[in-house]
Amino acid sequence: MAKHLIAALSALALVPQLAGAFEITGASVGLNYSTFADHGMRDTNKASLGGSLEAGFGPNFSIQTDIAAHQFGFLDDSGQNFALHGIYHMSNGASVGAFAGRDWLAGQNLDLWGIEARNTFGMFDVEGNLTFIDGDNGRGNAVGLRSDYALSDRLSLGGRFDYVDDGSETLTRVGALADFAPQDGMVISGEFGAADLPDDNVEPYVGLGVKMTFGGNRGTTFGSRGLQDILPGF
């Protein structure tokens, strides 16, 4: 009993030191909806609710957590994903990181990990990642790239590219993006693109989202990571 009491008191003594060792630098919470535009695939849709939180350890290091829940129309089922990032900020506009996470969907689990980088070039912001996937049905990998150009403090246009290979099938997604901030801390997003599906059909899709951001960095350093975040409409 004495040992447990000493351990508990020691842990309590460390709380103020740990609290002073880091600070919350950014957070976001958002709701997104996407669906395929083809009339025959309107039931193939996805609604997502997710959030991210970032804490900084000094000027150069931070950790970021992502968590999200997804509802899939064609499956009439839901999924969840979680990821944790370790981030090194090389300068005000450049950051590199490593991440690991897990997806849960339809009774299957997917473990994922990878590396990521982000940099700002004037009005351009570019982010990319390489993800390795280990699931119940085998291993795969994914590549993601996003770029945004700030037309003003309120409006930006951009594009994204995602490629997933699970070892037997592939999926490619290309989209055009627009973000509008009607006020500080709020972003409304629109997306129009096409996905090259595993059955060799290319299907157009549309997406709409709203996000609330917190902190001086207008949210977190990196976007959320998870296979379910890549899949549009399903």
Side-chain angles (χ1 to χ4, degrees):
M1 179 65 71
K3 292 182 178 180
H4 292 297
L5 180 59
I6 292 173
L9 292 174
S10 299
L12 289 174
L14 287 174
V15 169
Q17 299 179 37
L18 292 175
F22 72 92
E23 62 175 343
I24 303 301
T25 58
S28 67
V29 59
L31 177 65
N32 297 276
Y33 178 82
S34 63
T35 182
F36 283 105
D38 185 84
H39 180 73
M41 298 187 68
R42 294 288 174 82
D43 292 335
T44 309
N45 53 66
K46 179 183 72 176
S48 302
L49 175 64
S52 298
L53 179 70
E54 185 171 346
F57 297 83
N60 298 111
F61 295 94
S62 65
I63 58 172
Q64 176 184 325
T65 58
D66 312 321
I67 187 169
H70 312 272
Q71 182 66 41
F72 296 87
F74 86 109
L75 283 176
D76 193 23
D77 201 353
S78 60
Q80 303 82 37
N81 61 279
F82 169 84
L84 178 66
H85 312 242
I87 305 170
Y88 175 67
H89 304 282
M90 297 183 293
S91 66
N92 290 334
S95 300
V96 294
F99 61 90
R102 169 166 282 201
D103 277 40
W104 298 268
L105 177 62
Q108 297 188 30
N109 300 327
L110 291 172
D111 293 317
L112 56 94
W113 62 94
I115 55 176
E116 55 197 349
R118 179 179 178 180
N119 201 1
T120 300
F121 306 91
M123 306 305 289
F124 281 97
D125 187 85
V126 180
E127 179 179 340
N129 70 88
L130 173 63
T131 304
F132 302 96
I133 305 166
D134 189 359
D136 296 337
N137 297 323
R139 296 182 177 180
N141 54 74
V143 176
L145 181 65
R146 172 171 177 152
S147 178
D148 295 280
Y149 179 77
L151 297 175
S152 68
D153 291 339
R154 299 294 184 187
L155 179 64
S156 66
L157 301 178
R160 66 178 294 172
F161 169 82
D162 296 280
Y163 176 80
V164 182
D165 184 352
D166 68 358
S168 60
E169 298 178 324
T170 63
L171 180 146
T172 304
R173 171 181 179 174
V174 179
L177 312 169
D179 288 342
F180 173 64
Q183 62 184 43
D184 290 344
M186 181 180 183
V187 180
I188 298 173
S189 302
E191 180 174 354
F192 177 75
D196 187 356
L197 305 177
D199 58 7
D200 292 328
N201 288 331
V202 177
E203 299 289 347
Y205 69 88
V206 293
L208 182 66
V210 59
K211 180 172 66 174
M212 305 300 296
T213 63
F214 309 91
N217 294 330
R218 296 185 178 181
T220 54
T221 299
F222 289 111
S224 59
R225 300 287 175 249
L227 184 62
Q228 295 174 76
D229 292 303
I230 299 175
L231 306 179
F234 61 104

